[in-house]
Amino acid sequence: MIVTVQQHILQQQSDLFPEARGRFSSLLSGITLATKMIQAKIRRAGLVDILGTAGEVNVQGETQQKLDVFANQALLHCLSPRESVAVLVSEENEQPLTIDRSESGKYVIVFDPLDGSSNIDVNVSVGTIFSIFRRDSPDEPLLKPGYEQVAAGYVVYGSSTIFVYTAGQGVYGFTLDPDVGAFVLSYDRVMMPDSGRYYSVNEANADSFPLAYRSYLARLRQQSYSSRYIGSLVADFHRTLLKGGVFLYPPTRDNPRGKLRLLYEANPLAFLAEQAGGRASNGYGRILDIQPTAIHQRTPLIMGSRHEMDEFDRAMSGSLN
Ligand code: AHM
Ligand code: MG
């Protein structure tokens, strides 16, 4: 028999969160419902008027695509009525949305509703990323380091729609079966290979990478690596998770602190990478140890297989030989 994501979460929950009594699974089913709505919309791109910009600029100063707006609304719509939700933090909203249900809400959910949206109009994979923290009382700080995440995951809307998550007990992947209308277990306990063939970076920025990054990439080129860069973080990460290798978004001239966002891009993917046996760094240390100071803060992000990450650390410490 098939195992749906809902069944899997309920099983994990009785093992991991015996006190949660369905709250956690209700919250994750809010996320899977929203992502099914998003994928249905994406699959109709080109047939209905959903491509192109919405005419607004978001908090990052980026032009919002119509699908960015739809994806954000779908997540807010599916999550805000759930009993267990205390605060929603979205890439598309400048401020966190506090749900006025202070007694029952126990979780903060942070998400990037539609990552890689510059790829939408050209039919390239995009994704949704989410991260979940516990918050037992409204007095607790909203901003916590990534090692306190209780769950994290993403959906990649690619040649199929795949939901990947961890609740701290390994990484599991589910493929949307359109006949059943459910995400069905297809990757049981994913482990990232210890090394891979690919490195993934926007090489058009290479002249402005710090020297250690350039030395590292030169070293990879001397070995038998090939390059892959989609420009959709979720898709680039999904390949890295399954095939190994390394993904980098270093500091650049235009983005000296990195481009990617700590809370809803780096943290969740770092949690998944570690749970799959890989690593994630900001160039100085572990992504999951960073104490955030703002909800939309950026970070350099380097993540991948153990072997490539060890070599990256050697490059950063100047001990590549
Ligand atoms: P977005 O959240 O506005 O879509 O931006 C994030 C995207 C990532 O998906 C991707 O890794 C990166 O930006 C690509 O940036 P660049 O075009 O600078 O290489
Ligand atoms: Mg994004």
Side-chain angles (χ1 to χ4, degrees), residues 58 62 91 112 114-118 202 205 229 231-234 236 247 249 255 259-261 265:
N58 72 7
E62 297 155 348
E91 171 176 14
D112 182 349
L114 202 61
D115 183 67
S117 48
S118 69
N202 186 342
N205 297 325
Y229 189 70
S232 272
L233 179 62
V234 172
D236 280 315
F247 169 90
Y249 208 110
N255 290 295
K259 175 184 176 189
L260 299 173
R261 274 54 64 110
E265 294 179 323

Side-chain angles (χ1 to χ4, degrees), residues 17 24 107 131-134 146-152 166-168 271:
F17 309 107
F24 185 70
Y107 295 99
S131 159
I132 301 174
F133 290 89
R134 254 192 97 89
Y147 64 76
E148 295 213 27
Q149 291 171 103
V150 293
T166 183
F271 189 17

Side-chain angles (χ1 to χ4, degrees), residues 193-206:
D194 279 342
S195 71
R197 291 192 54 233
Y198 301 125
Y199 72 86
S200 185
V201 66
N202 186 342
E203 283 194 300
N205 297 325

Side-chain angles (χ1 to χ4, degrees), residues 162-208:
I162 297 185
F163 176 93
V164 176
Y165 91 107
T166 183
Q169 295 286 307
V171 176
Y172 299 89
F174 302 78
T175 304
L176 185 63
D177 181 334
D179 295 335
V180 182
F183 286 102
V184 173
L185 184 65
S186 46
Y187 298 87
D188 198 358
R189 191 105 211 193
V190 185
M191 292 304 288
M192 194 183 284
D194 279 342
S195 71
R197 291 192 54 233
Y198 301 125
Y199 72 86
S200 185
V201 66
N202 186 342
E203 283 194 300
N205 297 325
D207 290 348
S208 72

